[in-house]
Amino acid sequence: MDTCITVWHWAKHERWYDEGVRHSLDLIREAGFTQVNWNPDSGSSYWLADAEIEFTRRIIASAGLKTHTVHASNGVNPLSEIAHAGPATYTQETRKNILSPHEWQRQSGVELLKNRIDLAAALGAPNVVLHVDITDGTFRSPESEKAFFEPLYRSLDDVQAYCIEHKVQIAVETLFKASPANYLALYDRLFTRYDVAFIGLCYDSGHWELIEPGKVSVLEQYGDRLIATHIHDNFGAMDNHLLPFDGRLDWTAIMKAIAATNYITPLNLETPMDRYGLAEASYYQRAYAVAVRLEEMIAAARGRTAK
């Protein structure tokens, strides 16, 4: 049975970027997982050199794992390198921005996104997950809508051929900074303009619960575009990223909704271990049991046996 969990970086390790991540990968495989979502440097403007991309490919392969998906840099990247001193955990870096009306800044964001597409292609991942940040103000007027979508469309147009050439799709993640109706409007614009060979949907279960409690309208309406998942739980008040069954989400309903789509499993647990007071190995073992339970629920809903 294929199962997947997100790889995070833990800065408590002096060399988190090689020895630390390599250790986590080994523990993930020992727990039983077969695939990973590569998450280090997501949301940051850090530029991955070719040697880093090749190193990442090697350590994942040597751990006996496959890469199910890669979390790209965000459209706007508020995080850069982890600070080694000072009161702030992170330094702010927002110059590379695919949504910027300033052309040099927008192009910089496009180049950064292509860098993550290069990473996904090297890892054999079929897609990169991308944040497209909207607020309810995005659709407040024709002028605000135009101001948002003009640079976004230019940026996506700039990477479309690159994605197709590298056989990497963009999966637009469900976020929680606007109403569900406005997110559905965003997906309608994107999925009408772009083919599924280029752009699909990443369903983030915890995020959607925060804006539409107990419902899965995004899967009901755009399940045919589902190509990536971020599976985690919460209690409806905060983006806790808990393991499924540790919060309030209705996993029977969610698994049935995903099973009704053509989504290719495994599901991806986006559940950082720092939510739990467990040793890293123990955490992955607990997470694996949850992942197996969810895969069995999906298989049962599809009238199959989990393999």
Side-chain angles (χ1 to χ4, degrees), residues 52-273:
E52 290 177 283
I53 291 175
E54 172 57 18
F55 173 77
T56 301
R57 185 198 66 77
R58 289 202 318 269
I59 62 172
I60 294 174
S62 65
L65 295 163
K66 295 182 179 179
T67 306
H68 187 61
T69 188
V70 168
H71 202 311
S73 56
N74 296 336
V76 181
N77 302 288
L79 308 181
S80 60
E81 281 287 78
I82 296 173
H84 293 289
T89 304
Y90 295 97
T91 53
Q92 297 299 304
E93 174 57 84
T94 58
R95 281 176 290 182
K96 298 178 177 66
N97 179 4
I98 63 171
L99 301 174
S100 176
H102 304 283
E103 188 62 8
W104 71 268
Q105 190 174 24
R106 186 193 67 78
Q107 289 179 359
S108 298
V110 167
E111 290 182 27
L112 182 63
L113 180 54
K114 286 182 176 180
N115 182 250
R116 300 306 195 262
I117 294 166
D118 289 339
L119 173 65
L123 301 183
N127 59 67
V128 295
V129 174
L130 179 68
H131 287 192
V132 178
D133 291 293
I134 64 168
T135 67
D136 289 325
T138 301
F139 294 95
R140 187 161 293 148
S141 68
E143 292 75 21
S144 63
E145 189 171 339
K146 180 180 179 181
F148 176 83
F149 279 99
E150 281 193 349
L152 173 62
Y153 285 157
R154 286 201 302 273
S155 295
L156 293 176
D157 290 348
D158 285 349
V159 300
Q160 183 170 11
Y162 200 79
C163 281
I164 293 172
E165 176 187 352
H166 288 75
K167 297 181 173 58
V168 174
Q169 296 166 283
I170 287 178
V172 179
E173 182 175 348
T174 57
L175 302 175
F176 56 96
K177 296 179 181 178
S179 69
N182 280 333
Y183 277 111
L184 294 175
L186 168 67
Y187 307 139
D188 178 70
R189 302 290 195 282
L190 295 178
F191 298 157
T192 298
R193 181 181 175 96
Y194 299 107
D195 187 77
V196 69
F198 173 42
I199 289 183
L201 177 73
C202 172
Y203 166 67
D204 186 300
S205 59
H207 293 173
W208 199 259
E209 175 70 13
L210 292 176
I211 63 171
E212 194 182 40
K215 297 182 180 179
V216 288
S217 63
V218 67
L219 293 176
E220 294 165 351
Q221 190 161 336
Y222 294 113
D224 61 331
R225 289 287 193 140
L226 184 63
I227 60 174
T229 56
H230 285 177
I231 301 299
H232 53 95
D233 212 334
N234 61 52
F235 290 97
M238 296 177 63
D239 187 27
N240 304 109
H241 283 258
L242 302 174
L243 286 168
F245 310 107
D246 285 353
R248 75 171 197 183
L249 273 66
D250 185 344
W251 292 104
T252 298
I254 292 171
M255 293 302 102
K256 285 182 178 179
I258 294 175
T261 74
N262 292 323
Y263 176 74
I264 300 173
T265 54
L267 303 168
N268 163 51
L269 297 185
E270 197 190 32
T271 51
M273 70 175 183

